[in-house]
Amino acid sequence: MPIAVDIDVMLARRKMSVGELAERVGITPANLAVLKNGRAKAVRFTTLAALCEVLECQPGDLLRFEPEDAPAASAVRSA
């Protein structure tokens, strides 16, 4: 998936547990784990806003785009 989730990075910076974050955001620890581990297919803007508010960060601190190598690009490099 080309979207990487860095919630664990922000948790470490804020010295906060997953359980505490889940409680303060108002979601279950299981749903937070799905999001944190990059298995979520979607995230509500209200949830993203709550995460940013609690962690005192911007959405870009939690989510980033990592392009996947295109097959054509790898073929050019090996030629």
Side-chain angles (χ1 to χ4, degrees):
M1 168 81 96
I3 301 295
V5 181
D6 290 328
I7 291 175
D8 51 350
V9 173
M10 293 306 296
L11 282 170
R13 288 182 183 166
R14 302 297 186 250
K15 296 180 173 71
M16 188 180 299
S17 69
V18 171
E20 181 183 352
L21 179 60
E23 184 178 322
R24 291 179 63 183
V25 169
I27 61 176
T28 66
N31 283 341
L32 181 57
V34 167
L35 179 59
K36 184 174 86 70
N37 295 324
R39 295 188 317 258
K41 299 294 181 195
V43 60
R44 293 176 187 255
F45 282 156
T46 54
T47 302
L48 184 58
L51 287 166
C52 289
E53 185 175 342
V54 170
L55 293 170
E56 299 178 353
C57 66
Q58 295 294 312
D61 296 325
L62 301 177
L63 304 172
R64 63 188 154 81
F65 178 73
E66 287 186 345
E68 297 175 358
D69 284 344
S74 61
V76 171
R77 279 183 261 168
S78 62

